[in-house]
Amino acid sequence: MRNVYFNHDGSVDDLVSLLLLLQMPDVRLTGVGVVGADSYLEPALAASRKIIDRFGHGAQLDVAASDSRGVHPFPKEWRLDAFSLDALPILNEAGTITTPVAEKPAHLDLIDKVTHTDGPTTLVMTGPLTDLARALTVDPSITAKIDKLYWMGGTFDGRGNVAEPEQDGTTEWNAFWDPEAVKTVWDSDLAIQMVGLESTRQVPLTPAVRQHWATQRQHPAIDFIGQGYALVPALQHFETNSTYFLWDVLTTVASETPAIVTTKQVTSDVLTTGPGRGRTFETPTGRPITLVTTVDHDGFFQRIDELAILADK
Ligand code: AGV
Ligand code: CA
């Protein structure tokens, strides 16, 4: 069994990632932290607790609320999705929530869980890196117990996904929310596998993907996934800034099934100021990371099915 600590920011693919982590046969989830970045904290926290109740096979977990604040807030329209997801009937059949909220804020919860878990912990982060950066500042020694960080964020191909004033379009949102946090994590000695936009662009949400989930809705977890992804825009005729990709799910599934991706080693750094702040870029003097480059599209979607079907039992 591998110990995994998951920190996410409450968008649809973050919450689907939580559902899938709870099904992975070889994963022991040791903790969950939630930051209200691409969501509002309250519904993202509640939905996380309900997903553990409904799909967690009795896991004794608590969920930590983050008090981190970003430099550049996400668009409100996107953040509102957490309210809809939290209201889905499949998460509310019981009418009560059993999984408790952790005592400490997410960055301190991360330190506690990593410190008190026997052996190494793998971190999976599908939102901004703020909680990890704060944890490293409080207790830099935790890196000795973290074997690897899997992070969804950044991009190296110059095509960002932020459409806001006073920036140059080269940055990815999780990095843009808190560029300094990315720098703090990059300056640590953690092993990092980064899933940036160059690979996630290979796994858009499409009508065909939705149709596939619709035909499998006799499985409650696939029904939930279909309902969740009904809330966000698919890639139909052309890509817009709102088009949804399976960013976080790719990061999460690739941490469990490495065969669905190819990777390469790059040395890189991040800008923290100017119109490109949040931009990750390759440089010979940068720190080494493992970058996901290509995705086995069909193998990826098949693994989602296999994991989700494990929730039947
Ligand atoms: O930049 C991708 C990150 C992922 O962690 N998030 C969404 C995923 O959870 C921000 C984001 C970028 N474009 C978006 C986003 C969109 N069109 N809708 C919602 N969130
Ligand atoms: Ca996210």
Side-chain angles (χ1 to χ4, degrees):
M1 285 293 241
R2 286 189 308 122
N3 301 309
V4 174
Y5 187 98
F6 181 47
N7 180 287
H8 75 81
D9 72 337
S11 187
V12 170
D13 61 338
D14 295 89
L15 292 159
V16 170
S17 297
L18 172 60
L19 164 75
L20 296 177
L21 279 166
L22 290 163
Q23 314 312 318
M24 294 177 177
D26 194 36
V27 166
R28 189 170 79 90
L29 203 55
T30 61
V32 177
V34 183
V35 52
D38 198 5
S39 63
Y40 288 89
L41 181 61
E42 211 182 302
L45 190 64
S48 300
R49 297 164 64 206
K50 292 172 189 174
I51 287 168
I52 294 166
D53 285 356
R54 176 64 182 79
F55 294 111
H57 305 276
Q60 295 300 302
L61 271 168
D62 51 16
V63 181
S66 173
D67 56 7
S68 293
R69 294 286 173 268
V71 183
H72 307 101
F74 277 94
K76 178 178 160 190
E77 294 70 26
W78 298 354
R79 298 180 69 197
L80 286 168
D81 290 337
F83 284 102
S84 305
L85 198 132
D86 180 48
L88 292 179
I90 193 168
L91 294 185
N92 291 280
E93 220 171 338
T96 53
I97 311 185
T98 307
T99 297
V101 178
E103 236 167 77
K104 295 188 185 171
H107 68 294
L108 299 180
D109 182 72
L110 191 163
I111 295 174
D112 279 5
K113 298 280 162 62
V114 164
T115 307
H116 297 133
T117 297
D118 283 336
T121 296
T122 301
L123 286 184
V124 177
M125 297 188 67
T126 56
L129 291 176
T130 315
D131 284 324
L132 176 56
R134 292 173 73 199
L136 291 171
T137 305
V138 174
D139 183 358
S141 76
I142 56 171
T143 59
K145 290 201 71 186
I146 299 171
D147 59 359
K148 199 162 183 175
L149 164 67
Y150 291 87
W151 180 50
M152 192 286 128
T155 185
F156 287 106
D157 69 1
R159 277 176 71 194
N161 64 1
V162 177
E164 297 280 311
E166 298 188 312
Q167 57 88 36
D168 65 10
T170 60
T171 179
E172 181 281 329
W173 256 110
N174 289 338
F176 186 64
W177 199 75
D178 187 354
E180 283 289 348
V182 182
K183 182 65 177 161
T184 302
V185 170
W186 248 240
D187 287 347
S188 75
D189 60 5
L190 287 170
I192 299 175
Q193 172 157 315
M194 180 182 129
V195 176
L197 300 179
E198 50 277 293
S199 60
T200 57
R201 215 171 273 123
Q202 299 164 38
V203 286
L205 174 66
T206 62
V209 166
R210 282 185 170 155
Q211 185 55 36
H212 171 74
W213 289 327
T215 65
Q216 299 291 310
R217 64 180 288 273
Q218 73 272 21
H219 304 288
I222 298 186
D223 189 30
F224 170 76
I225 291 170
Q227 306 273 354
Y229 281 107
L231 303 173
V232 294
L235 177 62
Q236 213 122 18
H237 302 296
F238 62 96
E239 187 183 327
T240 75
N241 188 51
S242 286
T243 302
Y244 217 87
F245 295 82
L246 275 80
W247 303 278
D248 300 351
V249 175
L250 176 60
T251 309
T252 306
V253 173
S255 76
E256 187 234 11
T257 311
I260 60 154
V261 294
T262 59
T263 62
K264 68 172 181 186
Q265 300 298 119
V266 302
T267 52
S268 69
D269 205 349
V270 59
L271 298 179
T272 56
T273 57
R277 63 201 180 286
R279 183 201 310 160
T280 46
F281 61 98
E282 290 189 52
T283 164
T285 56
R287 68 107 77 211
I289 63 158
T290 303
L291 175 70
V292 170
T293 49
T294 63
V295 186
D296 168 5
H297 177 279
D298 294 353
F300 167 62
F301 282 98
Q302 193 188 327
R303 188 63 188 147
I304 295 175
D305 285 0
E306 288 166 3
L307 289 168
I309 289 168
L310 293 176
D312 287 353
K313 303 201 237 17

Coordinates of all heavy atoms in Angstrom, one line a residue, residues 9 13-14 126-127 174 248, ligand 2:
D9 N -8.6 21.7 -5.1 CA -9.3 23.0 -5.0 C -10.7 23.0 -5.5 O -11.3 24.1 -5.9 CB -8.5 24.1 -5.6 CG -8.4 24.1 -7.1 OD1 -8.6 23.0 -7.7 OD2 -8.2 25.2 -7.7
D13 N -13.2 18.3 -11.7 CA -12.2 17.2 -11.9 C -11.4 17.0 -10.6 O -10.8 15.9 -10.4 CB -11.3 17.5 -13.1 CG -10.5 18.7 -13.1 OD1 -10.9 19.7 -12.3 OD2 -9.5 18.8 -13.8
D14 N -11.3 18.0 -9.7 CA -10.7 17.7 -8.4 C -11.5 16.7 -7.6 O -11.0 15.8 -7.0 CB -10.7 19.0 -7.6 CG -9.8 20.1 -8.2 OD1 -10.3 20.9 -9.0 OD2 -8.6 20.1 -7.8
T126 N -3.9 19.0 -7.0 CA -4.6 19.4 -8.2 C -5.2 20.8 -8.2 O -6.1 21.1 -8.9 CB -5.7 18.4 -8.5 OG1 -6.6 18.3 -7.4 CG2 -5.2 17.0 -8.7
G127 N -4.5 21.6 -7.4 CA -4.9 23.0 -7.3 C -3.6 23.8 -7.2 O -2.5 23.3 -7.4
N174 N -3.5 27.3 -12.0 CA -3.0 26.9 -10.7 C -1.7 27.6 -10.3 O -1.5 28.0 -9.2 CB -2.9 25.4 -10.6 CG -4.2 24.7 -10.6 OD1 -5.2 25.2 -10.3 ND2 -4.2 23.4 -11.0
D248 N -7.1 17.3 -13.8 CA -6.7 16.8 -12.5 C -6.8 15.3 -12.5 O -6.1 14.6 -11.8 CB -7.6 17.4 -11.4 CG -7.5 18.9 -11.3 OD1 -6.6 19.4 -11.9 OD2 -8.3 19.5 -10.6
Ligands
CA2 CA -8.1 21.8 -9.7

